[in-house]
Amino acid sequence: MRELVVEADGGSRGNPGPAGYGAVVLDPATGETLAEAAGYIGVATNNVAEYKGLIAGLRAALELAPDATVRVRMDSKLVVEQMSGRWKIKHPDMKPLAAEAALAFPRDRVRYEWIPRERNKHADRLANEAMDAGRRGEQWSPRDTSAARAAATLPAAPAGPPGDAAAGAARAREALAAAAAEPAVGDRSAARGGAPSGGGRAQPPVPGTGLQDPSAAEPAPAGSAPAGSVPAGSAPARPAERPPTAAPDLSAPATFVLLRHGETALTPEKRFSGSGGSDPELSEAGRRQAAAVAEALAARGTIQHVVSSPLARCRQTAETVAARLGLDVVVDQALRETDFGAWEGLTFGEVRERYPEDMDAWLASPKAAPTGGGESFTAVARRVAAARDRLAAAHAGRTVLLVSHVTPIKTLVRLALGAPPESLFKMELSAASLSAVAYYADGNASVRLLNDTSHLRR
């Protein structure tokens, strides 16, 4: 049985900070580079980046030789010990990544070895190249090595941020075109004029453009590249030994229909209404909105599961819809709204008057939390992305209604688009509105709908 060596690494300039990963697949007998992979993942920790490198390396190895055994060499003691089963994985952000790595290559044919940093220079260089490319706003591309020259003979794989729908569509078109050309052989919150919180308050644009994306500090996008696919930024060699293009995952995606709860008494007054306040119930108008959306979704007939934030306004909205559809409601704590701390129940103007410095800091950085121990947008993005990955894996190929709030819903849309944090301030999300995102098994996402309120105007 053939053996391959995977060397992988990841780094973060700030921990968390701008991060990237690198991986190389080697022939253990000759030391020849068989494939390289690297990518920029936005703002993340070292550990997240290291796991991303491992996953990319294992996928590249699987593409080259599905029946091989793999010896993984990394200078991350944490990843090596956790993947070897000797250390328990305690951090909630690491568990989905470790699970993804375990599925990237048959686990019984992978063994892990720790090596000193100076012996992992190839993967480390690739990770730094990816971070440098990300700083320039570009995707990593291989140097003119043998792996790069081999990759150059293949059609260019479209690159993009995790969840880049355009890249996924391009891969699909490329695969379909290749199939047509060959004979058949049996043949993946806030808004300007809108609301960053459940209160729907109007906000000015974020000053400056230097915000970093916190999304990559979370687990990788739901459902990563399957066996036989090539991750964006990879450079597999020996093209003559395999098909000229890597087939994308064209199976049915996990589709999240995102429903913002109906109005409460605080909504028309545009007050901050998060998870740390009074937990208001739906108003009479909100109950009418919930009934209207229930009828609209029943007419569509596509919802198979209903998952809700634990807060009363969402549970009431979800229960109204679920009763109409004949489904049960599952409560997920990760779908709750941001905790706005001392700002709960206040209008934007009142916060600006009472806490001007805190408000300025909050508008300028996703890492800034509201006054009094509230929750930053970075923290919200981490828990929402973890929930996204968990739910997408649990409901692959199904359509799930997620009843949530402004910030979590906008965050899901933002991450799917690969947009920066300040985009939260540039999306409108009305009460009882519907949005939709589809998540494919190869890691791509497609935003299908945003802020649809047509059901409220009938």
Side-chain angles (χ1 to χ4, degrees):
M1 182 179 291
R2 183 182 183 186
E3 183 185 46
L4 298 175
V5 170
V6 169
E7 293 180 353
D9 199 9
S12 170
R13 294 169 180 171
N15 198 32
Y21 65 83
V24 57
V25 182
L26 303 170
D27 184 313
T30 66
E32 177 189 0
T33 296
L34 304 179
E36 292 180 335
Y40 175 70
I41 56 175
V43 174
T45 63
N46 285 328
N47 292 339
V48 167
E50 288 162 348
Y51 263 110
K52 295 267 194 168
L54 169 61
I55 292 165
L58 290 174
R59 289 183 185 146
L62 187 69
E63 175 66 19
L64 285 169
D67 297 326
T69 61
V70 171
R71 180 156 42 103
V72 174
R73 301 195 299 217
M74 299 182 68
D75 61 63
S76 170
K77 187 74 170 174
L78 175 79
V79 175
V80 167
E81 294 299 318
Q82 287 181 342
M83 292 305 299
S84 298
R86 292 186 290 269
W87 288 5
K88 186 176 181 180
I89 304 172
K90 297 180 180 180
H91 197 290
D93 287 353
M94 295 300 107
K95 291 180 180 179
L97 288 171
E100 191 174 352
L103 294 174
F105 200 98
R107 195 165 187 169
D108 61 345
R109 288 190 271 123
V110 181
R111 59 191 178 95
Y112 292 86
E113 174 188 341
W114 178 84
I115 57 174
R117 185 177 182 84
E118 58 269 18
R119 289 178 53 196
N120 203 26
K121 291 182 179 179
H122 192 151
D124 178 70
R125 171 176 62 79
L126 294 174
N128 278 283
E129 287 179 3
M131 284 184 273
D132 291 340
R135 184 177 57 200
R136 298 190 301 269
E138 302 171 356
Q139 289 295 319
W140 173 85
S141 59
R143 294 181 177 180
D144 188 21
T145 61
S146 58
R149 289 193 297 273
T153 67
L154 300 175
D164 181 9
R171 289 192 188 98
R173 288 193 297 271
E174 181 180 278
L176 292 173
E182 297 179 0
V185 286
D187 319 297
R188 176 155 265 237
S189 317
R192 183 183 300 179
S197 77
R201 63 202 178 283
Q203 296 289 1
V206 177
T209 58
L211 299 183
Q212 295 293 334
D213 184 354
S215 65
E218 306 119 18
S224 303
S229 68
V230 177
S234 66
R238 300 185 179 179
E241 297 180 6
R242 53 192 182 81
T245 57
D249 188 303
L250 300 179
S251 59
T255 301
F256 292 174
V257 177
L258 309 172
L259 170 60
R260 184 190 171 196
H261 61 80
E263 286 187 7
T264 72
L266 299 180
T267 308
E269 298 179 8
K270 300 185 182 298
R271 294 183 179 276
F272 282 85
S273 182
S275 58
S278 59
D279 194 14
E281 297 188 347
L282 292 179
S283 63
E284 181 60 36
R287 289 191 287 272
R288 289 196 300 270
Q289 291 169 339
V293 76
E295 289 302 320
L297 291 173
R300 295 183 188 186
T302 57
I303 302 298
Q304 297 167 286
H305 303 276
V306 179
V307 183
S308 173
S309 155
L311 299 183
R313 52 198 183 272
C314 283
R315 285 189 289 102
Q316 291 172 338
T317 303
E319 287 162 3
T320 299
V321 175
R324 180 66 179 84
L325 301 180
L327 299 172
D328 294 326
V329 176
V330 175
V331 173
D332 194 311
Q333 295 291 329
L335 297 181
R336 68 188 184 276
E337 180 57 289
T338 308
D339 182 345
F340 291 106
W343 302 355
E344 295 279 358
L346 302 179
T347 65
F348 181 83
E350 288 169 342
V351 173
R352 169 66 79 189
E353 181 179 348
R354 299 182 193 183
Y355 310 104
E357 293 182 358
D358 291 349
M359 173 62 76
D360 287 343
W362 183 72
L363 291 173
S365 171
K367 296 181 180 179
T371 308
E375 193 176 17
S376 71
F377 284 148
T378 296
V380 174
R382 286 173 178 160
R383 67 169 162 85
V384 167
R388 170 201 64 193
D389 293 349
R390 172 168 41 79
L391 291 170
H395 299 291
R398 294 176 173 269
T399 300
V400 186
L401 179 69
L402 303 188
V403 186
S404 189
H405 309 261
V406 169
T407 313
I409 293 174
K410 286 186 178 182
T411 297
L412 287 168
V413 172
R414 177 181 78 76
L415 297 179
L417 295 173
E422 58 262 34
S423 63
L424 292 176
F425 294 87
K426 300 178 181 180
M427 286 185 268
E428 173 70 25
L429 203 67
S430 304
S433 64
L434 290 168
S435 303
V437 181
Y439 298 94
Y440 293 87
D442 63 1
N444 289 295
S446 173
V447 176
R448 304 288 181 84
L449 187 70
L450 181 66
N451 197 41
D452 177 20
T453 57
S454 59
H455 49 279
L456 303 179
R457 300 192 293 272
R458 295 172 183 168

